[in-house]
Amino acid sequence: MSELSHTTSYYAASANDKRIRPALETQVEADVCIIGAGFSGLSTAVHLAEQGFKVIVLEATRIGFGASGRNGGQIVHSYSRDIDFIERNYGQATGKAMGAMAFEGGRIIRRLVKDYNIQCDLKDGGIFAACNSKQFEELKGKKALWEKHGHPDLELLSESDTRNYIGSTRYKGALLDRSGGHFHPLNLVLGEARALESLGGVIYEGSPAVRVEEGEKVRVHTPKGCVTSNFVVVAGNAYLGDLIPKLQAKAMPCGTQVITTAPLTEAQQRELLPRDQCVEDCNYLLDYFRLSGDGRLIYGGGVTYGAREPGKIESLILPKMLKTFPQLKGVKVDYAWTGNFLLTLMRLPQLGRVGSHANIYYAQGYSGHGLTCSHLAGKVLSDAIQGQAERYDIFASLPQYPFPGGRMLRVPYTAIGAAYYNLRDKLGI
């Protein structure tokens, strides 16, 4: 595999655009330089370019190489910690402000798909599935909470009604979110890249940022070039590495695994997901699944803390899939891959600034809710760079704690906590 290859995923195999953009090999200038061509970076870039900013994006490998091109492809609203947690811990005013933004990311995705004619198999409808009675009661609370914050389009499904949406006996009920949805994530991020280019933005692949030189004008150095800009947005997330040490201490990369079956018959597709909507369960270490545009089942789950590569992805995920859909015993698995997301201690996204001139912004740590949050973060950062910082200030006011134990002990400490919550899910308590 060459250095500039995507991971061997179903998404990479079915990508609409396999072009490689050239690397940066000269000195260039821009209004804004963005580090990372994933959803956070490209959402920021497109929103800025639509307002006339000259934007350059630096990508270490390929567009969508990280979580943006590897994830489950589901529109799931709100944050990894829901609005009630924010209200309890940070006050009603902050909760109200975060609640007002909690459902915007999905609307941004649909707006970009429509405005730029992005072909990414976008389909409507998402389901939260309860594995036990306790989880179903919690879904009733989620429905009331989201409706309180202005989000309709929700319907509670009884155990029997759930069978009309999911061909499995595992679930005791569900919450249908009609404004949820699913899509091919790599084709979405590639479509956003083309949208940026149509607006005059430039993307350099194979161009890792190796040093950020602070100043009134920020200089971002790559192995063979340099971008000088008024602002920088750091959007490397779980793949940022050691570029900004202050950011690395605030979050921890974690891995999740995904498999994709061979194409299923139409009868099999109707049996598994009759309404062709995506599903995630309510466990702490959750499973998620949906049908692809060409009729495969995409099934993901599991977490590896510290982003280590599991030895046999298929052996980890296939038993989960067969527990949900035993009728798929013997089905061929065509693709299996892993990808990293960035976990924060409070499970809330981190937006802020670093540097002595306050012109280096960052967004990271969506903690498993990156698809919608990253698109929202791009809009919020774009507004802040344009001088409209009210919503940015809300995010930036949330405390950003380091993990206890430092880099040596954060993985075992977090794994112990996850094991505790996983046991509670199994016991239904």
Side-chain angles (χ1 to χ4, degrees):
M1 187 189 304
S2 74
E3 183 181 354
L4 291 184
S5 292
H6 283 282
T7 186
T8 54
S9 69
Y10 162 72
Y11 299 136
S14 56
N16 291 334
D17 181 359
K18 293 182 168 65
R19 292 178 295 135
I20 298 179
R21 276 71 171 179
L24 177 64
E25 296 184 345
T26 186
Q27 310 277 324
V28 293
E29 294 186 1
D31 297 320
V32 183
C33 175
I34 293 174
I35 300 171
F39 287 136
S40 296
L42 289 174
S43 175
T44 309
V46 171
H47 282 106
L48 286 169
E50 287 176 332
Q51 299 303 313
F53 283 75
K54 181 180 180 182
V55 182
I56 289 176
V57 179
L58 300 176
E59 169 53 48
T61 49
R62 299 292 305 279
I63 294 164
F65 174 83
S68 298
R70 306 187 189 206
N71 59 77
Q74 300 194 16
I75 295 176
V76 180
H77 297 296
S78 192
Y79 316 97
S80 187
R81 292 285 198 181
D82 217 338
I83 307 164
D84 54 347
F85 174 89
I86 298 170
E87 290 174 334
R88 286 195 306 271
N89 288 274
Y90 309 116
Q92 291 293 320
T94 299
K96 182 178 179 180
M98 293 288 286
M101 295 185 278
F103 310 100
E104 186 176 341
R107 295 194 293 271
I108 291 172
I109 291 170
R110 287 186 167 89
R111 198 271 291 181
L112 294 175
V113 168
K114 178 177 181 294
D115 287 358
Y116 296 100
N117 191 29
I118 299 174
Q119 303 301 309
C120 61
D121 301 324
L122 177 60
K123 300 176 183 179
D124 292 333
I127 295 171
F128 300 95
C131 298
N132 53 55
S133 299
K134 175 178 177 289
Q135 291 178 358
F136 186 61
E137 290 301 312
E138 291 171 347
L139 286 178
K140 293 178 182 178
K142 179 187 285 287
K143 180 175 184 290
L145 176 69
W146 284 12
E147 288 174 341
K148 169 188 166 184
H149 287 274
H151 185 64
D153 302 324
L154 301 169
E155 180 184 350
L156 279 169
L157 304 174
S158 67
E159 183 173 356
S160 59
D161 288 340
T162 301
R163 293 294 302 276
N164 296 323
Y165 292 82
I166 310 171
S168 174
T169 59
R170 283 192 69 185
Y171 304 113
K172 303 303 180 184
L175 178 64
L176 168 64
D177 181 0
R178 293 185 179 85
S179 72
H182 59 99
F183 53 84
H184 189 302
L186 182 55
N187 279 337
L188 175 61
V189 74
L190 290 168
E192 292 174 358
R194 291 192 298 275
L196 174 64
E197 291 167 336
S198 75
L199 296 165
V202 179
I203 303 170
Y204 294 100
E205 293 185 303
S207 302
V210 296
R211 182 164 62 93
V212 178
E213 187 179 340
E214 298 178 11
E216 291 186 10
K217 294 272 190 178
V218 189
R219 293 169 58 84
V220 181
H221 298 268
T222 70
K224 295 183 178 181
C226 178
V227 182
T228 301
S229 60
N230 299 320
F231 298 95
V232 166
V233 174
V234 180
N237 209 42
Y239 292 81
L240 183 62
D242 296 325
L243 181 65
I244 310 289
K246 291 180 181 179
L247 300 187
Q248 187 185 52
K250 296 180 178 184
M252 176 174 64
C254 298
T256 184
Q257 294 80 50
V258 188
I259 61 174
T260 303
T261 69
L264 305 176
T265 67
E266 290 187 7
Q268 286 176 310
Q269 295 174 48
R270 287 194 299 270
E271 180 184 3
L272 300 183
L273 292 165
R275 310 291 179 90
D276 196 8
Q277 297 178 336
C278 61
V279 180
E280 70 169 48
D281 69 31
C282 299
N283 287 333
Y284 185 82
L285 302 179
L286 57 83
D287 289 3
Y288 49 91
F289 50 90
R290 65 183 184 88
L291 293 171
S292 67
D294 59 353
R296 304 167 184 268
L297 184 67
I298 298 174
Y299 201 104
V303 175
T304 52
Y305 294 100
R308 64 179 177 82
E309 293 275 342
K312 296 182 179 179
I313 297 167
E314 185 175 336
S315 67
L316 291 174
I317 304 302
L318 187 60
K320 296 173 178 288
M321 184 184 80
L322 294 178
K323 182 177 180 180
T324 304
F325 298 117
Q327 60 267 48
L328 288 180
K329 185 176 181 180
V331 72
K332 184 173 182 291
V333 173
D334 278 352
Y335 301 94
W337 69 95
T338 188
N340 297 338
F341 63 94
L342 199 63
L343 184 72
T344 68
L345 184 65
M346 303 308 291
R347 272 58 170 180
L348 289 170
Q350 296 175 343
L351 275 66
R353 292 185 293 189
V354 294
S356 57
H357 290 78
N359 54 358
I360 302 172
Y361 288 82
Y362 64 87
Q364 66 173 24
Y366 307 109
S367 303
H369 271 61
L371 277 181
T372 54
C373 280
S374 58
H375 284 85
L376 170 64
K379 180 65 167 67
V380 169
L381 291 180
S382 168
D383 290 345
I385 288 170
Q386 296 173 69
Q388 303 166 28
E390 294 84 359
R391 301 202 305 169
Y392 162 82
D393 289 340
I394 295 295
F395 276 101
S397 72
L398 300 174
Q400 300 178 10
Y401 301 116
F403 277 86
R407 294 186 66 178
M408 292 294 294
L409 296 178
R410 63 184 183 179
V411 171
Y413 282 178
T414 305
I416 290 169
Y420 166 75
Y421 285 108
N422 188 42
L423 178 61
R424 286 173 61 93
D425 285 333
K426 290 180 178 179
L427 297 176
I429 58 174

